[in-house]
Amino acid sequence: MDIDYLLTATRSARKSLDLDAPVDMGDIRECLRIGLQAANGSNQQSWRWLVVSDPALRDEIAELYRQSYLLRVGGQLLADLMPPGTPESRIMSSTEWLVEHLAQVPLLVIPCYQPYLPRIDGDESFHQATLYGSIFPAVWNFQLALHTRGYGTCITTLHLHREPEVGQLLGIPPAYVQGCLLPVGRLRAGHTFRPARRRPVDEVVARDRWDGPAL
């Protein structure tokens, strides 16, 4: 796969996942091996990745995910209430499709990371940047590797509203932070992605100062 295409056309996959297609664990292992080549804080590699395939566990996680979503949106699904055909309704439809089908996605991957620096009062921004800067490069590597092998996924975080319950369900030690949840499956046959519309570089990049000239 052309590198520029891979980097610009690796999209969030929800409805494009084939819920019935088998997943090759050898492929997933290789994608994780590639993912773990990513840079991480002080090369501590204090991560643990959980690959959840057990249907009963996926059911329980999906229910916690659904509860979290309904908490965020006021207790009811919203896609059918929005004007059809708008970008907002398409995004909401995709989001709520995952809420309704998460348990059927073949694999749920949860990367966890143990903070390796002691906390100091007032260092919340530093702590969060160091923590997530040590896990999301590997997440993105994993997503890219999946795309080259015909799989798709997306970064989700809604389950973190129920992080303690998920942690207890999966036996995650309290010292570890769950970075996100990645629903993984094969892409539907024939499905391809294309680069997304993005704001022009000149609108979002400045030189030297916040109000400086465009690059």
Side-chain angles (χ1 to χ4, degrees):
M1 186 178 291
D2 176 77
I3 293 177
D4 283 355
Y5 172 80
L6 176 65
L7 293 173
T8 57
T10 298
R11 308 255 66 84
S12 292
R14 299 181 184 90
K15 288 185 175 182
S16 55
L17 298 177
D18 187 336
L19 301 180
D20 299 318
V23 170
D24 186 325
M25 283 297 190
D27 287 342
I28 303 305
R29 181 183 176 88
E30 182 64 10
C31 290
L32 286 167
R33 184 192 67 79
I34 293 169
L36 297 180
Q37 286 291 316
N40 59 97
S42 298
N43 197 31
Q44 293 292 305
Q45 304 178 60
S46 55
W47 43 37
R48 181 81 166 172
W49 294 64
L50 299 182
V51 179
V52 183
S53 60
D54 182 270
L57 291 175
R58 287 188 281 124
D59 280 344
E60 293 194 57
I61 293 171
E63 178 55 31
L64 292 169
Y65 187 91
R66 180 182 175 84
Q67 292 173 15
S68 297
Y69 181 75
L70 293 176
L71 175 68
R72 296 293 299 184
V73 299
Q76 64 176 331
L77 300 179
L78 302 178
D80 291 340
L81 305 178
M82 304 183 73
T86 64
E88 293 78 13
S89 69
R90 287 193 292 271
I91 291 173
M92 189 62 68
S93 175
S94 177
T95 297
E96 294 189 347
W97 181 92
L98 188 61
V99 171
E100 295 293 277
H101 294 87
L102 185 65
Q104 299 165 255
V105 178
L107 296 179
L108 305 180
V109 178
I110 301 178
C112 304
Y113 207 84
Q114 184 177 32
Y116 63 93
L117 293 174
R119 294 297 307 274
I120 300 173
D121 288 344
D123 76 340
E124 187 65 25
S125 294
F126 171 82
H127 176 75
Q128 289 186 351
T130 301
L131 173 65
Y132 293 109
S134 293
I135 192 65
F136 276 101
V139 167
W140 182 233
N141 267 18
F142 178 56
Q143 291 182 273
L144 293 172
L146 287 171
H147 190 185
T148 66
R149 289 159 175 79
Y151 295 88
T153 187
C154 64
I155 294 174
T156 68
T157 55
L158 277 169
H159 81 291
L160 295 176
H161 285 292
R162 295 289 188 268
E163 184 175 14
E165 293 96 322
V166 175
Q168 183 175 18
L169 177 67
L170 301 178
I172 300 172
Y176 281 79
V177 173
Q178 299 173 46
C180 62
L181 186 151
L182 299 153
V184 176
R186 288 192 182 275
L187 294 170
R188 287 187 284 102
H191 183 85
T192 58
F193 290 116
R194 60 179 183 273
R197 292 184 180 180
R198 291 290 187 255
R199 293 169 61 186
V201 171
D202 287 350
E203 287 187 10
V204 297
V205 178
R207 190 169 63 224
D208 296 332
R209 296 175 56 83
W210 184 268
D211 59 353
L215 191 63

